[in-house]
Amino acid sequence: AARATRQPNMIEVTWEARVVLLVALGKISQMKKIALILTVLGPDRPGIVEALAKTVAENGGNWIESRMAHLSGQFAGILRVDVEQRDATHLAEVLRGLRNQDLELIIHSEDAADRAGSVSPGTAKLELVGQDRPGILSEISKVLATHEVNVEDLTTSCVIAPTTGQKLFQAEANLRLPSPLVETELRRSLEAIASDLMVDIVFEAQPSRRDSQ
């Protein structure tokens, strides 16, 4: 008699389907991501950020972080967008199309995994206030470079002191230090720039992992 062909039952089919699904999900999770770093400049007007955000969202990108500012009638911004490697070229091309809207764009790409794996020994928040004069920022940045301190975020401004009417230079910065021991030396070097320069450094003792979002 002919041997009956064994038919897979529902449990076996379901198990096989689960295996296929898990393999597919594993491949998706391992897809390489690319970080696009964009610099944007153009005449300030309503809708610039909306145009950028819409372009990124509709073309597979994920807006991770950004810094935007209005300077003398100009919009200036820098942002980081993560995107799957297979979509990176297309997203970059679409973003460059925004140049037709009177925007200047510079796009740099790098491996997002390399950024996520970068570990900092320590970070610090720096606040400076002192009498404004030509070259003060150059002197401050020279001190930071001498101590191998990386500036991750910097905001500067000039204000008028309410009591004296003098012009004051203000700076706030997030720093990445090569070693926690640099903090004391850094403070001394910054205070040596000028006797009226007030320096406040708050050190974060815990190591920080960049791009932990």
Side-chain angles (χ1 to χ4, degrees):
R3 181 177 297 178
T5 303
R6 184 174 177 270
Q7 298 295 328
N9 57 37
M10 185 60 68
I11 295 178
E12 291 173 330
V13 172
T14 302
W15 173 250
E16 292 174 358
R18 287 179 179 176
V19 171
V20 172
L21 178 59
L22 288 173
V23 172
L25 290 175
K27 290 182 179 180
I28 292 174
S29 64
Q30 294 175 1
M31 285 183 180
K32 188 174 182 180
K33 285 187 176 293
I34 298 296
L36 298 181
I37 312 301
L38 287 76
T39 303
V40 186
L41 180 66
D44 193 27
R45 66 178 187 278
I48 294 180
V49 175
E50 190 273 339
L52 289 168
K54 182 178 180 181
T55 301
V56 169
E58 291 181 349
N59 293 277
N62 184 23
W63 187 306
I64 300 298
E65 57 184 331
S66 61
R67 300 289 186 275
M68 309 291 178
H70 173 95
L71 301 171
S72 298
Q74 295 291 308
F75 171 88
I78 183 169
L79 59 145
R80 173 192 160 195
V81 173
D82 280 2
V83 61
E84 300 290 352
Q85 185 179 31
R86 64 184 182 185
D87 298 326
T89 300
H90 173 70
L91 176 57
E93 291 177 355
V94 177
L95 286 167
R96 290 189 182 97
L98 295 177
R99 292 170 176 168
N100 297 329
Q101 300 183 25
D102 204 16
L103 292 175
E104 298 179 28
L105 282 91
I106 299 176
I107 302 177
H108 170 76
S109 64
E110 64 180 29
D111 192 333
D114 292 342
R115 292 180 56 86
S118 178
V119 177
S120 166
T123 59
K125 183 174 180 61
L126 172 67
E127 294 183 359
L128 298 171
V129 179
Q131 187 171 349
D132 186 45
R133 68 174 188 278
I136 186 171
L137 184 57
S138 175
E139 295 176 34
I140 293 170
S141 58
K142 182 179 180 180
V143 169
L144 297 177
T146 299
H147 290 82
E148 299 183 348
V149 174
N150 187 38
V151 180
E152 294 196 330
D153 187 34
L154 173 64
T155 302
T156 64
S157 61
C158 290
V159 298
I160 302 300
T163 54
T164 64
Q166 289 183 320
K167 196 175 187 180
L168 299 178
F169 172 83
Q170 295 181 332
E172 293 184 1
N174 293 323
L175 309 177
R176 185 154 48 92
L177 308 182
S179 166
L181 299 178
V182 171
E183 179 192 0
T184 302
E185 301 174 7
L186 181 61
R187 186 190 302 274
R188 291 173 182 168
S189 298
L190 289 171
E191 290 176 342
I193 293 177
S195 58
D196 69 321
L197 189 61
M198 294 181 288
V199 180
D200 184 24
I201 302 178
V202 179
F203 178 70
E204 299 175 4
Q206 295 296 327
S208 64
R209 182 176 295 275
R210 294 177 61 190
D211 307 324
S212 59
Q213 298 93 313

